[in-house]
């Protein structure tokens, strides 16, 4: 078959011929950025065929097509290549049979206008595909089809937020259809009704976290929005492409986002930080989180996308506005005092002066600080920073007078005390002679330098000392013991501040209380012109402060009244204010009746006093609701008799309260009906306290109380759990519940239903919230975890329990905590017990045995596991040097532990009564006494209850020295057998062994010799086949001399090997090559004496006869023939089924025939006539019937 036929056979017509016989005239165009490939070049593509002759000029046909190879010439082909590390052909075949890569490529090329070439790198196991097509579209279609056939089918789950599902589907499913068409994968989105409501943890009730149809929150951007699992199924590469497309849609439509404003100028940061409330308002109620990192000069906003965008715009606008309105003032300040202007001090200055202070870095030697703020605020900041407290000190100490006395003729003018808090610029004027003024200025400057950082304003409530709220503390610089250190100054000032605040706290009981009062009633509290109510409440001492409405500085509402003063006075004022408001409301109701000329109806009736408090409600909420909704006035009085028959023995009766309702007739009747109905409901109420351990309360309440709220709504009851533990151990609730008590209050029927459900739920929590803790050796943790956590994960999957491992910081143990149902924990840890045995340390090695085999066998005998990993930890012997050294610990399932304990105690008792005696047994008898597979030995040990150790066994050296060792000094070590066990049993076993020695010792072997020429050694032994035959006779052979080189004949050097070209015609046949040489031409001369050892003389004679025949046969093989065939295709026919044809040739010709494994040469050994006969027979087999040409 020529190369052209091979190309057509593999459907590669149009591709360049790998073995061209003539130049190719048409070339496939390449992309413009690549150099043209000259396939006509014999240098680049040398032909394997003989050089062609001159090529005739192609003859143009009537159709105008050129003759020669018909390759389509494309001028604008598109090419692409890609590499796959894994090619999966398992799913590409038909009828369950996998397809080949070539079949898949043919199918893709047949379905699409595309050409595919593939090459595989055997080292990296990677396959590279080269694709060519006329258009990009066709190439993409073919590539997708190829990837779909070669990639494994996978399923990928994409958790999409619920808000993005509609966008993923698109109008009438257009977006989803586009993704499916583009990637050819299957996309499943659960229906809305199939999705279950999650339990607040992202998992539907009763389902696993990964079950289909559940919605789970995303842990990154959206902590509360549920997600919908979208399943993508298809070839791996296309499934990943569809996944990326879906994620792109999700990213663009996420309901939540996080954005940052970075690189805020350092002097702007304090102003941005102060505007937090403005940014929160910009969110317009949206759920956001604000975080400002001053060191990084960065603001982070997370939350609802729309709200975040509004906040970001507000922050950027604030930065721009502040930057445009700020001015700055630079002040020189000693470097050591700069640290006093960072941290909290900056916030204090900003709060009081609306200015910010920036100081140079600590490594900068500059003493210049910068104050930033609006022009009108900079003066106040400067005063607060430097001059304000200093001028106050100068005025209070009379420093100006002292200065004028020191420098006569110098006049000093300081601002008035009231001007220090109002003026934008503070000046100290000095007037006099220049020299004196300069000296005075230096003294003033020194004082100011000493006072900077040595002053502090302390806010003391004016109600405590009846003065202004600000108290100035000054570290006196004129004191002889004054320290120049800023640290000492600040420390002493802070100590005085703490002591002063402590005095203020101890000396006053001041509090503030805010009352919620609607603005329309403020006038009643203030009175006309503010001269009545509030003045009367404050009193003459004026120890109270009452601020109404906007004066209370509550930005959220004006419906408040702030009362501040001594505690007792505040309580009194609050009661009076509430009474004034209540009277005003009642007066309004009565006046409305009179103004409407409607007759006022009053009704009175009695109710049990115990219900009054609940009808009135907390702070009168119940009565206020009736009054506001019905416009009536309700009063309660306790004027009823509390006892009957006062002259006789008193008998208590139910206490009554009188209810008076005044208002319109129909409203009064409705109010009475509501009150009476409420009383009847209360009369039917009951309450029960359930005992439920506190550890189950959170599970019964549910996230945000959803479970308990559902019960309350279902049964119309009130369920109260203890909210925390007080010092007396009771819950901090009105009902004084203990930690394990739950109160259910309501109608009798509702209480019974809620009680039943709560108890059932508590039982479920007890069953599913069990915890078991135990310890394991720290070294066992890797085995418990397994490779990559495989073992621990398998245990979790099998038992549905939660397992936590906590390794102790010190010590060799780790704590294992198992949580789950009782059954799941039982499946994990089972019932476990620990036993400690006392066994002498000298017996430990014997119990463990060589390599631990004795201990493993003991565990298996007791019904324990055979796996050595599972056996670890069941029995623990002390390590060398560990105390106590005689303790053996057993830990595991109780039944197994008891069996191990009994067996160990029994074995230890036997070891205590155990003796070791030696007995002389010839080494030749050992194998017979042991038996095949140790059967005789095991039977003997079980019969006499002893242990026997033969020389060479693993436990021989651990058995100990025999007691009768002195008597056996002259016994060879290989003949000394140790017998251990109870003394009587050992002595009986030794007597029995001595009686079996004669029967176990084999008779003496028979030996003989035979001489073998060295040159025939390889021919006789037949690669060890002769020795195997002798062993079947029971004879072993040992040679005195081995040949130093091989005597086998080898093919002469330069021996021609026929070769065939891959492009030779199919019917071309190359003749076989035949050569004959003499045998043993290079063989080694000499003889070897073989010693034969056998059971008897008959086997020896038989072996000698076999060897003699082999020598005679080797002598007759005088020549060696080498028959080399063109190829190995006919070797199966030459050999035959299981070598049958070779055996036939040997029987017919008498020649030995060896077929080469790595070449096409057959070696024939024998006489000249046998070689020729074998050769002719082989050639007939090779030629066989006349081979038919293909296609005939």
């Amino acid at each position: 078959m020529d190369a052209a036929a091979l190309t057509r056979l593999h459907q590669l017509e149009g591709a360049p011929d790998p073995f061209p016989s003539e130049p190719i005239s048409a070339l496939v165009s390449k992309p413009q950025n690549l150099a043209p490939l000259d396939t006509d070049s014999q240098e680049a593509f040398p032909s394997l065929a003989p050089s062609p002759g001159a090529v005739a000029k192609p003859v143009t046909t009537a159709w105008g097509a050129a003759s020669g190879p018909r390759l389509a010439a494309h001028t604008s082909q598109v090419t692409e290549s890609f590499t796959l590390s894994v090619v999966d052909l398992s799913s590409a075949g038909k009828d369950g049979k996998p397809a080949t890569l070539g079949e898949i490529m043919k199918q893709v090329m047949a379905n699409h206008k595309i050409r595919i070439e593939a090459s595989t790198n055997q080292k990296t196991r990677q396959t590279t595909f080269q694709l060519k097509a006329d258009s990009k579209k066709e190439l993409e279609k073919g590539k997708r089809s190829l990837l779909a056939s070669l990639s494994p089918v996978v399923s990928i789950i994409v958790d999409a937020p619920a808000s993005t599902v509609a966008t993923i589907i698109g109008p009438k499913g257009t977006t989803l259809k586009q993704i499916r068409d583009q990637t050819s994968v299957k996309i499943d989105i659960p229906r809305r009704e199939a999705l279950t409501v999650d339990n607040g943890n992202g998992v539907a009730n009763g389902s696993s976290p990964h079950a289909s149809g559940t919605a789970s929150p995303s842990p990154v951007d959206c902590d509360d929005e549920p997600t919908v699992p979208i399943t993508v199924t298809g070839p791996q590469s296309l499934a990943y492409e569809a996944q990326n497309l879906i994620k792109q849609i999700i990213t663009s439509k996420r309901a939540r986002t996080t954005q940052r404003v970075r690189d805020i100028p350092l002097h702007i940061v304090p102003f941005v930080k102060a505007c937090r409330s403005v940014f929160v308002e910009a969110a317009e109620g949206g759920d956001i989180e604000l975080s400002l990192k001053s060191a990084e000069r960065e603001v982070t906003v997370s939350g609802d996308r729309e709200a975040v965008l509004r906040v970001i715009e507000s922050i950027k606008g604030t930065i721009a506005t502040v930057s445009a309105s700020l001015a700055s003032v630079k002040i020189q300040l000693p470097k050591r005092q700069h640290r006093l202007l960072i941290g909290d001090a900056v916030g204090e200055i900003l709060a009081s002066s609306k200015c910010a202070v920036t100081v140079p870095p600590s490594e900068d030697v500059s003493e210049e600080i910068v104050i930033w703020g609006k022009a009108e605020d900079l003066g106040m900041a400067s005063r607060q920073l430097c001059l304000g407290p200093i001028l106050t000190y100068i005025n209070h100490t009379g420093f100006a007078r002292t200065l004028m006395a020191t420098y006569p003729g110098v006049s000093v003018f300081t601002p008035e005390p009231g001007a220090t808090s109002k003026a934008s610029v503070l000046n100290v004027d000095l007037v006099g002679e220049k020299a004196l003024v300069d000296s005075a200025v230096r003294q003033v400057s020194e004082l100011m330098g000493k006072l900077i950082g040595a002053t502090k304003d302390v806010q003391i409530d004016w109600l405590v000392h009846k003065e202004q709220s600000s108290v100035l503390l000054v570290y006196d610089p004129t004191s002889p013991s004054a320290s120049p250190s800023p640290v000492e100054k600040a420390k002493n000032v802070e100590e005085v501040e703490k002591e002063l605040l402590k005095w203020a706290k101890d000396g006053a009981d001041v509090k503030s209380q805010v009352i919620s009062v609607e603005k329309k009633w403020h006038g009643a509290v203030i009175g006309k012109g503010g001269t009545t109510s509030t003045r009367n409440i404050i009193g003459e001492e004026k120890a109270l402060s009452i601020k109404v409405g906007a004066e209370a500085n509550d930005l959220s509402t004006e419906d408040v009244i702030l009362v501040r003063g001594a505690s007792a006075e505040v309580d009194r004022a609050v009661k009076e204010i509430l009474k004034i408001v209540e009277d005003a409301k009642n007066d309004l109701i009565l006046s409305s009746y009179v103004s409407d000329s409607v007759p006022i109806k009053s009704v009175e009736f009695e109710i049990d006093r115990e219900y009054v408090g609940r009808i009135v409600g907390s702070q009168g909420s119940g009565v206020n609701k009736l009054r506001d909704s019905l416009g009536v006035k309700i009063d309660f009085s306790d004027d009823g008799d509390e006892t009957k028959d006062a002259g006789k023995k008193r008998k208590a009766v139910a206490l009554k309260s009188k209810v008076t309702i005044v208002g319109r007739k129909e409203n009064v009747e409705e109010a009475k009906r509501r009150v009476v109905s409420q009383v009847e409901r209360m009369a039917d109420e009951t309450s029960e306290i359930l005992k439920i351990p506190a550890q189950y309360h959170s599970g019964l309440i549910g996230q945000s109380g959803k479970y308990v709220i559902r019960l309350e709504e279902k049964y119309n009851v009130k369920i109260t759990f203890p909210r925390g533990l007080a010092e007396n151990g009771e819950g901090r609730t009105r009902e004084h519940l203990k930690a394990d008590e739950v109160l259910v209050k309501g109608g009798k029927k509702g209480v019974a239903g809620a009680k039943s459900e709560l108890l059932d739920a508590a039982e479920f929590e007890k069953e599913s919230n069990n915890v078991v803790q135990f310890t394991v050796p720290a070294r066992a943790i890797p085995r418990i975890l397994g490779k990559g956590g495989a073992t621990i994960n398998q245990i979790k999957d099998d038992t549905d329990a939660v397992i936590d491992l906590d390794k102790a910081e010190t010590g060799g143990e780790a704590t294992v905590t198992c949580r789950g149902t009782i059954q799941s924990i039982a499946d994990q840890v089972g019932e476990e017990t620990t036993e400690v045995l006392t066994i002498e340390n000298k017996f430990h090695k014997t119990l463990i045995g060589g390599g631990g085999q004795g201990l493993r066998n003991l565990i298996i005998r007791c019904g324990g596991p055979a796996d050595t990993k599972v056996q670890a930890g069941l029995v623990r012997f002390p390590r060398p040097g560990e105390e106590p050294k005689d303790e053996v610990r057993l830990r595991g399932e109780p039944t197994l532990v008891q069996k191990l304990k009994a067996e160990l105690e029994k074995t230890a008792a036997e070891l205590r009564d155990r003796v070791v005696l030696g007995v002389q047994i010839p080494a030749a008898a050992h194998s017979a006494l042991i038996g095949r597979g140790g059967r005789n030995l095991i039977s003997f040990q079980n019969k006499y209850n002893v242990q026997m150790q033969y020389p060479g066994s693993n436990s021989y050296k651990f058995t100990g020295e025999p007691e009768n060792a002195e008597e056996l000094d002259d016994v060879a070590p290989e003949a000394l057998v140790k017998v251990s066990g109870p003394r009587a049993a050992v002595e009986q076993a030794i007597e029995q062994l001595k009686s079996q020695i004669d029967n176990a010792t084999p008779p003496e072997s028979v030996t003989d010799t035979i001489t073998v020429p060295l040159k025939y050694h390889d021919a006789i032994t037949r690669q060890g086949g002769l020795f195997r035959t002798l062993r079947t006779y029971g004879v072993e052979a040992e040679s005195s001399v081995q040949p130093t080189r091989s005597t086998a004949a080898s093919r002469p050097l330069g021996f021609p090997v026929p070769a065939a070209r891959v492009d030779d015609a199919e019917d071309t046949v190359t003749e076989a090559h035949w050569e004959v040489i003499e045998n043993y031409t290079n063989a080694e001369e000499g003889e070897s004496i073989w010693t034969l050892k056998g059971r008897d003389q008959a086997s020896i004679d038989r072996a000698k006869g076999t060897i003699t025949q082999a020598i005679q046969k080797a002598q007759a093989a005088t020549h060696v023939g080498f028959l080399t065939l063109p190829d190995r295709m006919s070797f199966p026919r030459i050999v035959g089924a299981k070598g049958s044809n070779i055996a036939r040739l040997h029987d017919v010709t008498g020649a030995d025939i060896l077929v080469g494994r790595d070449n096409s040469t057959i070696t024939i050994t024998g006489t000249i006539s046998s070689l020729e006969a074998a050769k002719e027979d082989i050639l007939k087999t090779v030629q066989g019937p006349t081979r038919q040409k293909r296609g005939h």
Side-chain angles (χ1 to χ4, degrees), residues 53 123 156 159 249 280 297 335 390 421 540 551 646 668 763 795 841 871 897 908 1017 1176 1188:
K123 292 185 178 180
I156 304 173
D159 290 328
I249 298 175
V280 172
R297 299 184 290 121
K335 187 70 176 180
I390 295 175
S421 59
E540 295 181 357
E551 296 179 357
V668 168
E763 287 300 323
I795 296 174
N841 184 264
Q871 287 180 350
V897 167
H1017 183 275
E1176 294 300 330
Q1188 299 295 326

Side-chain angles (χ1 to χ4, degrees), residues 24-36:
I24 298 176
S25 58
L27 298 179
V28 179
S29 63
K30 299 292 180 180
Q32 295 180 1
N33 58 347
L34 297 177

Side-chain angles (χ1 to χ4, degrees), residues 66-142:
S67 62
R70 301 187 63 182
L71 297 179
H74 300 282
T75 58
S76 60
Q77 277 196 334
V78 182
T79 63
E80 183 177 348
S81 64
F82 62 93
T83 301
L84 295 181
S85 58
V86 177
V87 175
D88 184 8
L89 303 176
S90 59
S91 61
K94 296 181 180 180
D95 301 328
K97 298 180 180 179
T100 64
L101 179 60
E103 292 173 350
I104 295 174
M105 292 169 59
K106 292 178 185 178
Q107 183 179 0
V108 174
M109 288 190 291
N111 295 336
H112 304 277
K113 297 179 181 179
I114 186 172
R115 291 174 52 198
I116 305 174
E117 297 176 1
S119 61
T120 302
N121 188 326
Q122 296 298 333
K123 292 185 178 180
T124 61
R125 300 292 182 183
Q126 292 183 339
T127 304
T128 301
F129 296 88
Q130 183 77 20
L131 281 66
K132 299 180 181 180
D134 293 340
S135 65
K136 183 70 173 178
K137 183 177 180 181
E138 287 294 331
L139 188 141
E140 288 296 331
K141 288 182 179 179

Side-chain angles (χ1 to χ4, degrees), residues 275-286 288 290 311 314:
C275 296
R276 180 184 180 88
S277 59
V278 177
F279 303 147
V280 172
E281 291 179 1
E284 298 180 3
I288 63 165
L290 272 173
V311 173
S314 177

